[in-house]
Amino acid sequence: MDHWPKDVGICAIHVVVPSLYVDQTDLERYDRVSKGKYTVGLGQKQMGFCTDLEDVNSLCLTAVSQLIENNGISYSDIGRLEVGTETIIDKSKSAKTVLMKLFEASGNFQVEGIDTTNACYGGTAALFNALSWIESSAWDGRLAVVVAADIAVYAKGNARPTGGAGAVAMLIGPGASLVVERGLRGTYMNHTYDFYKPDLSSEYPVVDGKLSVDCYLNALDRCYESYLSKCRGGDVGLNRFDSFVFHAPYCKLVRKSLARLYMNDFVNGVGANDENHRHQNWADAEKTFVELSKTVFEDKTEPSLLLASRVGNTYTASVYSGLASYLLSVPHERLPGKRIGVFSYGSGLASSMYSIRVVDNGGLPGLIGNLKKGVDRLDKRMRLTPEQFVNVLDFRQKSLHRAPYVPVGDRGQLFPSTWFLSGIDEMHRRFYERNE
């Protein structure tokens, strides 16, 4: 349709990583598990985490403010702001309303959008909402911002090494360098209890690990089948993509996911509509296809795992951290023309697959340069011991929902320009300041 804005997609990306991390080899020794259980078995190297100074609101404040500042735009230029998160700290007040604090000086209070929640899928739903707004009659010509942020923490046990924390903020508009391809989207939704958070007094989820992996892989099959059915002409299958990024609960599952798509291509649709046959094929051939797809994985997907391996699972931000990692792995002059496949999964469950086309419009050098500002902080983080990590998580759990409350975390450990929780009053009202 001629009236659609041209090249709608992602104009800029900013990544926020916590200033603290624990090394997974240290955690293996502390937990007294076999060497390599977390580093080889899960594919994880490090895990970022936050003290009581940071919550989902502060992560979002940091991500949005730094995105705006790095790209030299005004808050008046923003007409929609969407938040995707599952780290809920209030049953009514959205994180988006807290972010309006950033807009006060500009006098811009006409900003649509609120929070979207469904496990790790919220960031993708928020992105789709922003894209739809720009392509709708409601669009007023301004830009949109999408921020996905979460703090992933688990009770002591097998799931704890798959935690993490972080945020990704994206500037959405026409004339983008990363164009979301219109009409190419596969979605699969279903009702499951693979991962959920019924206890509002705790940050910890209830997890059925085996069921969650099965649900993830089944959703991947369904979305891939749906996406490919909408393609017209050219390569069909993995050959269609120069890169493929996945939601990454842990890196080893991403490795298996790429092999899963490779297998689906290999069997060329045999049993594609028979779920039992598909799962039987996988059970029999997983190791074989992981090995057969090794070169494809190294080329198309491994570069997207930089942040996932060193920060951990960031829930709604995870797949967009993968996108950011891939963009930094390729010289920007070689990016134009590449097609990136994206698979987003959220337990419960909601999932989608879509694709991004990189276009040469002069904006890529700036996008990559600004993106590096956040990712370069990986090497400036502070490594804490497993004992310190456990103490932080225990203290977060004990202090959850306390009011009045003043955080005890060390502000000196925060990166510059980080927003933090300065206090909670007796009415549970939260107050934030910026670390300069």
Side-chain angles (χ1 to χ4, degrees):
M1 296 178 65
D2 293 337
H3 65 272
W4 273 326
K6 182 176 173 58
D7 291 342
V8 177
I10 302 169
C11 304
I13 312 179
H14 182 68
V15 173
V16 171
V17 299
S19 59
L20 306 176
Y21 76 95
V22 61
D23 192 88
Q24 293 279 11
T25 56
D26 293 345
L27 207 54
E28 287 173 344
R29 288 191 291 268
Y30 177 82
D31 290 343
R32 298 181 180 179
V33 299
S34 58
K35 183 178 180 180
K37 182 173 183 178
Y38 304 156
T39 52
V40 178
L42 296 176
Q44 301 302 118
K45 298 176 182 177
Q46 301 161 350
M47 178 168 45
F49 63 97
C50 302
T51 69
D52 63 341
L53 281 170
E54 294 183 272
D55 60 19
V56 70
N57 290 340
S58 69
L59 285 175
C60 288
L61 284 165
T62 300
V64 172
S65 60
Q66 292 179 356
L67 174 78
I68 298 298
E69 292 162 2
N70 288 347
N71 289 277
I73 61 176
S74 167
Y75 285 99
S76 298
D77 298 330
I78 308 303
R80 190 175 187 95
L81 173 58
E82 293 270 349
V83 177
T85 186
E86 64 170 89
T87 309
I88 307 302
I89 56 178
D90 190 284
K91 292 182 287 185
S92 176
K93 183 174 173 60
S94 68
K96 185 275 178 77
T97 61
V98 177
L99 294 177
M100 292 306 299
K101 174 184 180 71
L102 299 172
F103 290 75
E104 291 175 358
S106 71
N108 176 24
F109 300 101
Q110 187 177 331
V111 183
E112 295 189 11
I114 49 172
D115 294 3
T116 303
T117 299
N118 186 87
C120 303
Y121 186 79
T124 294
L127 173 62
F128 289 171
N129 288 344
L131 295 169
S132 296
W133 175 70
I134 290 172
E135 294 186 339
S136 77
S137 62
W139 185 47
D140 62 7
R142 292 184 293 168
L143 298 167
V145 169
V146 170
V147 56
D150 275 303
I151 297 174
V153 288
Y154 294 84
K156 186 176 181 180
N158 292 335
R160 177 161 279 188
T162 65
V168 176
M170 297 175 282
L171 189 67
I172 312 300
S177 297
L178 306 176
V179 178
V180 177
E181 294 193 292
R182 186 180 292 116
L184 292 178
R185 186 187 301 176
T187 289
Y188 176 69
M189 305 273 179
N190 207 340
H191 170 51
T192 65
Y193 277 110
D194 57 324
F195 169 112
Y196 51 109
K197 296 179 178 177
D199 183 359
L200 300 181
S201 67
S202 172
E203 289 190 298
Y204 301 150
V206 177
V207 186
D208 184 330
K210 183 181 184 305
L211 176 61
S212 191
V213 171
D214 288 345
C215 289
Y216 180 106
L217 294 175
N218 181 49
L220 176 63
D221 290 338
R222 298 298 186 92
C223 287
Y224 192 50
E225 178 185 354
S226 176
Y227 176 93
L228 293 182
S229 72
K230 298 174 183 178
C231 297
R232 298 291 181 268
D235 291 325
V236 174
L238 282 174
N239 288 336
R240 180 179 180 83
F241 305 97
D242 298 285
S243 175
F244 216 110
V245 300
F246 299 82
H247 168 58
Y250 52 93
C251 293
K252 200 63 173 283
L253 181 57
V254 171
R255 177 69 187 88
K256 293 180 179 181
S257 298
L258 190 280
R260 181 88 165 199
L261 297 188
Y262 188 92
M263 184 191 76
N264 283 343
D265 286 356
F266 186 85
V267 300
N268 196 28
V270 175
N273 295 311
D274 182 341
E275 185 173 335
N276 291 329
H277 179 63
R278 182 164 54 237
H279 281 298
Q280 186 62 46
N281 278 345
W282 182 246
D284 293 342
E286 176 183 338
K287 290 183 179 179
T288 298
F289 280 100
V290 165
E291 184 60 32
L292 287 173
S293 63
K294 181 179 179 182
T295 301
V296 179
F297 170 74
E298 292 172 348
D299 178 45
K300 296 183 187 292
T301 297
E302 190 171 33
S304 71
L305 295 178
L306 169 67
L307 286 162
S309 65
R310 296 188 61 186
V311 179
N313 187 3
T314 52
Y315 287 165
T316 56
S318 172
V319 71
Y320 300 102
S321 294
L323 174 62
S325 297
Y326 171 72
L327 293 172
L328 291 176
S329 74
V330 180
H332 67 78
E333 62 271 13
R334 289 171 45 197
L335 281 170
K338 292 190 180 296
R339 175 180 281 122
I340 305 167
V342 181
F343 174 66
S344 179
Y345 175 84
S347 292
L349 63 81
S351 59
S352 289
M353 183 178 292
Y354 63 99
S355 52
I356 292 171
R357 179 170 50 86
V358 185
V359 301
D360 187 5
N361 61 2
L364 271 176
L367 184 153
I368 300 300
N370 285 326
L371 177 57
K372 280 178 59 64
K373 293 177 182 178
V375 178
D376 282 351
R377 285 184 163 178
L378 279 173
D379 295 325
K380 300 175 182 178
R381 296 175 299 165
M382 183 179 298
R383 178 174 175 173
L384 297 190
T385 66
E387 289 85 359
Q388 291 171 311
F389 164 69
V390 170
N391 287 339
V392 167
L393 262 59
D394 287 347
F395 197 83
R396 285 186 64 93
Q397 179 68 9
K398 292 175 183 176
S399 62
L400 194 66
H401 300 306
R402 282 177 57 185
Y405 181 70
V406 177
V408 300
D410 183 357
R411 298 181 185 182
Q413 294 177 333
L414 298 173
F415 285 131
S417 301
T418 296
W419 285 87
F420 62 90
L421 177 68
S422 58
I424 305 173
D425 70 12
E426 66 280 357
M427 295 180 65
H428 291 267
R429 293 177 297 193
R430 292 174 176 248
F431 300 90
Y432 298 90
E433 298 177 21
R434 196 175 191 184
N435 191 41
E436 301 297 342

